[in-house]
Amino acid sequence: MFRKVAAALLLASCALPAVAQPPAAPATPPHLIVAISVDQFSADLFSEYRQYYTGGLKRLTEEGAVFPRGYQSHAATETCPGHSTILTGSHPSRTGIIANTWFDLKTGRADKAVYCAEDETQPGTDSGNYVASPVHLKVPTLGGRMKAANPATRVVSVAGKDRAAIMMGGPTADQVWWLNGPEGYVSYRGIAVPPLVAKVNQAVVARLAQPNPGFELPPQCAAKDFAVSIGAGKTVGTGRFARAAGDFKAFRASPEQDAMTLVLAAGAIDSMQLGRQAQTDIISIGLSATDYIGHTYGTEGTESCIQVDRLDRELGAFFDKLDRDGIDYEVVLTADHGGHDLPERHRENAMPMDQRVDEALTPKALTEAVGAKTGLAGRKLIWGDGPAGDLYFDVTLNAKQRAAVEAETLKILRAHPQVQAAFTKAEIAAAPSPSGPPESWSLLREARASFDPQRSGDVLLLLKPRITPIVDPTKGYVATHGSPWDYDRRVPILFWRKGMRHFEQPLGVETVDILPTLAAQIGLSVPAGEIDGRCLDLTAGDGDSCAGK
């Protein structure tokens, strides 16, 4: 009997029709590069819902070149540093974008803070009321290099955040627009609003004026639908993005925001005729809603699940429009960083060790503790953007005082049970620049990749894994990112072009590899010594898309 069954199966297998091979990818450069960053779209979030994709994310994962273990390989996994790597090919140590905010204690500003995407020399400004600018980005973007090689190239950047649009577009972009409030999208000071943006802004205002009853819960989100208490009678985890008319904060932290940014992107492609002439053009698109949602609700509730489902659908519609328009385009999609869910839900889901940071690690508390120990009480000794990251010492201290403050700060930090490491500026500066597989880097090497001697702090504070640097979730965000751990470093990197042969490479690559990879696709020469990334071969099997380029 077994032999008869085996023979039947063998005959059946021989009778299977031949699988049609996809058409070969064009040998010529694409006419349009579409570079998409999904803010806080971690590799974990990407893989968690991968089996449910039906739209744009399905296309990218099943038809393109998939690198599920991409790395924002530096330690400072924040929005501005992450976006600065995607289209420059360089780590923050080279781009100069070491954080969302750093401190310049010699500036005349009272708060001493400098926002990554501002020009702080503008009179009457501060880090909360700033003039947006790309002046802090030290290296060219891919669009800038393309325009230098061929001035006819058109470079456009749109996003939900100014720092995303600015860091991906660069200083020579033709158009840079970001969502700035309930009135819609804006650009640099003095830039006139073109008809397209005016029309999109009218749509933003009209949509915001209407209430949103919320989105339906997809079947894959049902298991996520339970409330998690964060204190003070507040819960997260069961939201559907219902909002009242005029509630811009709720609009921003919902799928509605990304949908509108994609409308603007599609309109920019049409109005500027991107991808319809001889040269290759580029548009970068920063989709910021996933980050606002992760901060506001965490990454594991219905809110995040609905967002990924809507993102997949909206990307599918966007790509379908480009297809209908007959544009020869190539896509890269990645993220600026990952994210960590709120400790309260982690503790309910098998991670009882998850904690919020001790308030004693905030710059204010450290200043008080160090001041009491050194006899320097009453002075603001330590500046920083929170209970993690770069810490800056008062520049008016004399050498003896500074040495005492540093020694006492390190003593307190290195003895604290929530602290993994505290590196001095000298220790980081002496470390060699990182190389090799990003998953194998030490914490000191990760710190070196984020280090700029003019902008980095005197001490870098790195918390242990599963410590969330938010003291009280009832007064603002409930979850965040920014750590040197893989849940914040790992992001997907996906390439797609019509006719590309699908493959998946599970080993670690870096977001700084994106620029040289795309440059090879369009025949653009980029000297290796000017960037940190390497070209990724997108030709499955024989052949090398990087060869000789």
Side-chain angles (χ1 to χ4, degrees):
M1 181 66 179
F2 172 78
R3 291 180 179 176
K4 290 181 179 180
V5 173
L9 289 172
L10 181 60
L11 288 171
S13 67
C14 292
L16 289 174
V19 178
Q21 293 296 316
T28 55
H31 284 174
L32 177 64
I33 291 173
V34 180
I36 302 171
S37 171
V38 181
D39 201 321
Q40 203 182 139
F41 193 43
S42 68
D44 296 328
L45 198 58
F46 165 72
S47 63
E48 183 174 3
Y49 297 106
R50 187 169 174 177
Q51 63 182 308
Y52 303 110
Y53 298 151
T54 60
L57 292 173
K58 178 182 175 69
R59 177 192 296 212
L60 299 182
T61 56
E62 294 187 1
E63 300 176 19
V66 179
F67 299 88
R69 287 173 60 84
Y71 278 82
Q72 288 283 4
S73 42
H74 50 274
T77 50
E78 295 181 337
T79 298
C80 214
H83 279 100
S84 83
T85 72
I86 292 171
L87 290 178
T88 65
S90 298
H91 297 138
S93 57
R94 195 187 294 260
T95 70
I97 309 300
I98 62 156
N100 287 344
T101 301
W102 57 84
F103 288 78
D104 179 358
L105 301 191
K106 295 180 180 179
T107 183
R109 286 181 169 181
D111 66 357
K112 308 299 183 184
V114 177
Y115 178 55
C116 63
E118 70 158 320
D119 180 359
E120 70 275 19
T121 67
Q122 296 296 312
T125 64
D126 57 45
S127 60
N129 177 32
Y130 56 85
V131 174
S133 170
V135 295
H136 291 307
L137 183 63
K138 293 183 175 182
V139 297
T141 61
L142 176 59
R145 291 179 182 274
M146 292 166 64
K147 186 173 280 291
N150 182 355
T153 296
R154 286 158 298 184
V155 181
V156 177
S157 187
V158 299
K161 295 180 181 179
D162 55 7
R163 54 188 179 270
I166 291 169
M167 293 302 147
M168 293 178 74
T172 61
D174 297 287
Q175 295 282 332
V176 181
W177 297 92
W178 59 86
L179 185 64
N180 192 54
E183 290 77 32
Y185 294 83
V186 301
S187 189
Y188 299 122
R189 177 184 282 182
I191 298 296
V193 178
L196 165 68
V197 178
K199 185 176 181 180
V200 172
N201 286 346
Q202 290 173 0
V204 171
V205 171
R207 183 162 184 168
L208 189 57
Q210 299 298 317
N212 184 353
F215 297 96
E216 292 184 3
L217 191 68
Q220 66 267 26
C221 302
K224 309 282 185 180
D225 193 12
F226 62 92
V228 176
S229 173
I230 59 171
K234 298 180 180 180
T235 64
V236 297
T238 61
R240 307 288 195 273
F241 300 109
R243 64 163 176 82
D247 189 343
F248 176 75
K249 185 177 179 181
F251 172 89
R252 185 179 63 179
S254 83
E256 292 181 280
Q257 184 202 153
D258 284 348
M260 198 57 67
T261 298
L262 286 169
V263 167
L264 176 57
I269 292 170
D270 284 345
S271 65
M272 297 185 69
Q273 292 290 289
L274 302 183
R276 291 177 171 88
Q277 297 185 32
Q279 78 281 350
T280 300
D281 299 320
I282 181 170
I283 183 169
S284 55
I285 305 170
L287 301 177
S288 305
T290 306
D291 184 70
Y292 284 113
I293 291 164
H295 284 303
T296 305
Y297 306 105
T299 64
E300 285 297 313
T302 56
E303 301 93 350
S304 185
C305 185
I306 292 171
Q307 162 61 10
V308 175
D309 179 72
R310 301 301 305 185
L311 174 70
D312 178 41
R313 297 189 196 190
E314 297 289 352
L315 285 171
F318 177 72
F319 296 150
D320 287 346
K321 182 187 185 307
L322 297 185
D323 293 342
R324 291 193 301 271
D325 292 344
I327 299 174
D328 176 14
Y329 64 101
E330 181 160 349
V331 177
V332 61
L333 183 145
T334 189
D336 55 341
H337 52 72
H340 187 60
D341 197 26
L342 59 150
E344 292 77 10
R345 185 158 42 217
H346 273 305
R347 290 196 291 267
E348 292 187 10
N349 291 347
M351 291 293 147
M353 72 294 290
D354 227 78
Q355 301 175 15
R356 293 197 175 275
V357 71
D358 184 354
E359 192 170 3
L361 294 175
T362 61
K364 180 177 183 294
L366 285 171
T367 285
E368 292 173 356
V370 171
K373 290 289 187 179
T374 59
L376 296 169
R379 298 175 62 171
K380 188 165 184 179
L381 300 175
I382 300 172
W383 300 71
D385 198 32
D390 285 295
L391 301 175
Y392 300 76
F393 297 146
D394 180 2
V395 292
T396 66
L397 296 170
N398 62 39
K400 183 178 179 180
Q401 290 171 331
R402 190 193 182 288
V405 167
E406 180 177 286
E408 190 59 39
T409 301
L410 292 173
K411 181 180 178 181
I412 292 171
L413 294 180
R414 289 171 176 171
H416 196 285
Q418 289 187 337
V419 173
Q420 182 70 31
F423 297 126
T424 67
K425 188 172 190 174
E427 289 171 332
I428 299 172
S433 295
S435 60
E439 58 266 44
S440 69
W441 293 5
S442 68
L443 288 181
L444 186 57
R445 293 289 184 93
E446 292 180 34
R448 182 65 181 81
S450 298
F451 177 76
D452 180 298
Q454 280 74 49
R455 296 175 181 172
S456 293
D458 296 298
V459 167
L460 178 65
L461 167 59
L462 300 178
L463 301 176
K464 286 184 176 178
R466 304 188 179 108
I467 305 296
T468 294
I470 296 173
V471 175
D472 184 355
T474 67
K475 296 179 180 179
Y477 284 155
V478 304
T480 193
H481 48 83
S483 82
W485 307 112
D486 276 6
Y487 49 72
D488 284 342
R489 293 175 75 219
R490 289 197 306 112
V491 297
I493 301 177
L494 315 173
F495 295 90
W496 178 91
R497 189 181 181 190
K498 186 176 181 180
M500 176 182 286
R501 185 176 177 184
H502 167 71
F503 73 90
E504 183 154 342
Q505 172 51 265
L507 299 179
V509 297
E510 300 182 67
T511 54
V512 296
D513 299 333
I514 292 172
L515 178 142
T517 302
L518 292 175
Q521 297 289 298
I522 60 175
L524 177 68
S525 177
V526 180
E530 294 183 5
I531 60 174
D532 298 310
R534 67 180 182 88
C535 181
L536 303 174
D537 175 17
L538 301 185
T539 303
D542 292 339
D544 185 349
S545 62
C546 300
K549 299 176 182 177

